[in-house]
Amino acid sequence: MNIVDLVQSQVIASVKEERDIEKAINSTSNIVFLLTGNLLNMTEHLDRLKSAQKSVFIHIDFIEGLSNTKSAIKYIAKKWRPAGIITTKSSLIKFAKEEKLMVIQRMFLIDHTALKKGISICETFAPDAIEVLPGLMPNIIDHLTHRINLPIIAGGLISSQEDIIKGLEAGALAMSTGDPALWNFDI
């Protein structure tokens, strides 16, 4: 399976607080980016989300007690079995792909140098998709769709349905947002 086939709702629930897991479960978002948790409670979080038919991507840079190593990736793949991972660390993409996990490379596009570096990383490491932040940049999203042959997810600072629509119209596959009020915007 690839990420494009996985997307049913083009709004991705980006869960930053454990108290919002239940909201993600009850949302129309079929994909959840999990940016909270630790080694002790991750299995419970994943079980609850998977039971609700959610495809979960763990942002490994935010999980307490988890190191950014090949062994950690193997553990995630064999014990937790999420749909995939999200990371800012391009070195982990290869390890995750070896373990048959989908990988979303998260990029912070703060200037032209970051944009060029992000394109280079995609060409070198070939993640399954990229998440660009901030997501309020329709011109940049459009530019990336013409430069990178990867699905683009835009997130960060998304605070309205209008922001979601603009990002999708610019060519994003989906929009990730940490605002539970937007998780049921069904498009």
Side-chain angles (χ1 to χ4, degrees), residues 69-150:
T69 63
K70 185 174 186 173
S71 295
I73 299 294
K74 282 185 175 215
Y75 182 86
I76 290 167
K78 291 186 181 357
K79 299 294 184 180
W80 291 344
R81 296 185 301 278
I85 64 163
I86 305 165
T87 184
T88 58
K89 308 212 175 6
S90 54
S91 61
L92 297 179
I93 294 172
K94 178 181 174 234
F95 301 144
K97 287 185 163 274
E98 287 171 359
E99 297 299 324
K100 309 291 188 253
L101 290 170
M102 283 189 270
V103 183
I104 298 172
Q105 170 81 37
R106 187 178 241 200
M107 286 187 231
F108 295 97
L109 301 179
I110 56 173
D111 58 21
H112 286 288
T113 302
L115 177 62
K116 287 178 187 176
K117 182 176 180 180
I119 290 169
S120 175
I121 287 170
C122 290
E123 292 170 347
T124 303
F125 294 98
D128 295 284
I130 60 170
E131 181 185 28
V132 295
L133 289 96
L136 297 175
M137 303 180 304
N139 292 343
I140 300 300
I141 294 168
D142 180 65
H143 175 74
L144 283 171
T145 62
H146 292 93
R147 293 285 315 271
I148 299 173
N149 190 24
L150 292 171

Side-chain angles (χ1 to χ4, degrees), residues 23-34:
K23 292 174 188 170
I25 288 170
N26 293 316
S27 75
T28 57
S29 297
N30 72 301
I31 297 176
V32 174
F33 289 177
L34 197 53

